[in-house]
Amino acid sequence: MSLESIKYKRGSLEVLDQLLLPLQTRYVKVDGVEDGWKVINKMQVRGAPAIAIVGCLSLAVELLKDNSSDKKIMRQEIEGKLNYLVSARPTAVNIKLAADELINLANTLCAGENVSPTEFKDRFISNIENMLTKDIEDNKAIGRHGCEVILKRLEGDGLVRILTHCNTGSLATAGYGTALGVTRALHESKRLEHVYCTETRPYNQGARLTAYELVHEKIPATLIVDSMVSALMRTRKITAVVVGADRVAANGDTANKIGTYQIAIVAKYHEVPFYVAAPLTSIDMSLTSGEKIKIEERPDREMTHIGEHRIAAPGINCWNPSFDVTPASLITGIITEKGVFAPNKLAEVIPQYQNKCSTN
Ligand code: MRU
């Protein structure tokens, strides 16, 4: 059974506290938007899809408790709360796209003459709830497409060795995962020999979370520290790098966890294909290039300490950007639920799918 990072039933939301993993398994109650903002900002829940889903579900929980019978007030409050949730972490675009779609839905329901306040609330909440199943379906499709494209190019011994970075599995999504979903699909098809996961400094999502998921799923895996990537590619035949994304710009430039960019450079040098696995909700067609992506900078403490233990010399200055941007020219393909696309084809292909995405 895969790990359950989000426990939801109507009116009740709990998230697995990822700051305590892998040593403790404890769920945190999210009783509304204020709690939703806090668990996202503190990174008790993280990963672009999970941030969007938990943020929106926190609004669903709050809305159910709201006894308002005035649709206009409800609409206005929904917009304010969604914008507040978006501010919890700036780089991942999924929550912003979800918020925009939900604000459109609230506008439509508010304007509908035959829609009662109770129906407004019910339809709005159901819509948010659908995100959970849709995300898992999308991830499974990403897994299938990724598995196919990697197997198609396979040469040599016919076995697949994947390198991944950060955490993109069940913990970062509603389930199954994106880049880790591709790895999972390869494992299910019995073609995966091994997966290597980076530690992912400074916050160790690889060592704490991906390693935990891989052990839990009994997928053959080895942990490396971030500085071992070049040596790994030189000495072991890596079939492909597969990473996730927090925001993909229209030209294919991709923001993902800090360290992704240098892995892409090393992959290019060693002629290892480099794939980004991400749902359409991670693609921001409003940004022409990665230069326009806002990169979140996080507290120094994430670098100077591991848990309560200080590891850096007191007094040293720190720079802690949480993400970097990999230029499209280093990316072999973007694996989405609709297929695998060359980065320079996104502008042509994606709008037709995104226009069809509807919250209704
Ligand atoms: O800071 P985090 O842990 O939220 O960063 C997560 C990543 O960078 C993931 O690779 C990305 O969100 C994709 S998750 C499916």
Side-chain angles (χ1 to χ4, degrees):
M1 216 184 88
S2 75
L3 294 163
E4 199 182 11
S5 65
I6 302 167
K7 279 190 188 172
Y8 174 82
K9 57 181 190 308
R10 195 165 275 207
S12 152
L13 173 63
E14 287 182 346
V15 296
L16 183 57
D17 187 344
Q18 298 188 27
L19 294 178
L20 301 179
L21 286 174
L23 300 178
Q24 287 179 56
T25 303
R26 195 185 302 159
Y27 285 84
V28 191
K29 198 167 166 45
V30 178
D31 221 9
V33 165
E34 198 56 52
D35 287 352
W37 191 93
K38 278 193 201 138
V39 292
I40 293 169
N41 181 263
K42 280 167 67 181
M43 291 178 66
Q44 285 170 298
V45 67
R46 29 67 47 207
I51 289 171
I53 294 165
V54 168
C56 295
L57 285 174
S58 75
L59 174 61
V61 169
E62 185 155 317
L63 214 56
L64 195 73
K65 293 187 283 192
D66 182 349
N67 291 325
S68 168
S69 55
D70 185 322
K71 289 202 295 175
K72 282 200 184 126
I73 293 177
M74 270 161 62
R75 194 219 66 79
Q76 201 177 353
E77 284 189 355
I78 282 171
E79 183 167 354
K81 286 175 183 171
L82 282 167
N83 287 331
Y84 174 62
L85 285 163
V86 168
S87 74
R89 291 193 70 195
T91 302
V93 72
N94 312 53
I95 190 165
K96 167 74 177 130
L97 292 188
D100 289 349
E101 283 200 19
L102 287 169
I103 290 166
N104 283 341
L105 175 64
N107 289 339
T108 310
L109 294 172
C110 185
E113 279 178 18
N114 300 324
V115 180
S116 69
T118 313
E119 188 185 345
F120 177 132
K121 209 194 289 192
D122 189 56
R123 282 177 59 185
F124 192 84
I125 291 174
S126 301
N127 213 281
I128 294 176
E129 291 169 345
N130 289 342
M131 289 171 79
L132 281 165
T133 40
K134 180 162 187 316
D135 189 56
I136 296 178
E137 279 165 21
D138 288 348
N139 293 341
K140 289 191 171 163
I142 289 172
R144 280 195 302 277
H145 291 303
C147 182
E148 208 176 281
V149 77
I150 289 169
L151 292 181
K152 218 189 295 174
R153 297 176 60 132
L154 203 55
E155 290 167 356
D157 59 9
L159 289 171
V160 179
R161 287 164 289 267
I162 296 292
L163 169 66
T164 192
H165 185 56
C166 196
N167 174 262
T168 59
S170 295
L171 295 168
T173 61
Y176 203 78
T178 57
L180 215 57
V182 173
T183 308
R184 200 188 291 270
L186 285 160
H187 180 62
E188 285 162 5
S189 71
K190 309 229 179 313
R191 301 299 291 279
L192 181 78
E193 188 194 61
H194 214 80
V195 52
Y196 295 87
C197 63
T198 56
E199 189 183 29
T200 319
R201 282 288 293 150
Y203 223 40
N204 295 313
Q205 288 92 329
R208 293 188 301 109
L209 309 176
T210 304
Y212 181 68
E213 289 203 41
L214 291 167
V215 170
H216 180 86
E217 301 288 334
K218 299 189 174 51
I219 297 178
T222 295
L223 177 67
I224 59 166
V225 307
D226 300 0
S227 48
M228 292 173 184
V229 167
S230 305
L232 180 83
M233 289 197 195
R234 160 95 45 206
T235 55
R236 309 208 174 169
K237 186 102 196 79
I238 298 298
T239 315
V241 177
V242 190
V243 298
D246 288 85
R247 193 181 292 241
V248 182
N251 70 344
D253 291 350
T254 296
N256 190 51
K257 179 52 54 195
I258 191 76
T260 304
Y261 177 27
Q262 67 192 22
I263 297 175
I265 294 171
V266 174
K268 185 83 163 183
Y269 181 80
H270 289 276
E271 297 179 353
V272 173
F274 182 94
Y275 291 101
V276 169
L280 296 185
T281 50
S282 300
I283 302 180
D284 184 354
M285 294 305 292
S286 75
L287 297 188
T288 49
S289 85
E291 270 169 44
K292 304 211 162 73
I293 299 175
K294 183 166 185 321
I295 300 295
E296 174 186 10
E297 294 204 6
R298 297 207 41 100
D300 294 358
R301 196 188 155 87
E302 290 177 2
M303 291 171 63
T304 56
H305 288 68
I306 292 188
E308 292 308 308
H309 184 69
R310 180 178 258 282
I311 54 163
I316 190 69
N317 293 317
C318 295
W319 178 50
N320 187 15
S322 199
F323 304 94
D324 56 27
V325 176
T326 300
S329 58
L330 298 178
I331 299 171
T332 311
I334 311 230
I335 306 167
T336 74
E337 65 272 34
K338 299 292 179 196
V340 184
F341 305 110
N344 63 4
K345 289 280 181 253
L346 292 185
E348 213 174 285
V349 184
I350 299 304
Q352 57 178 327
Y353 293 122
Q354 284 191 332
N355 292 338
K356 279 191 201 136
C357 293
S358 154
T359 48
N360 288 306

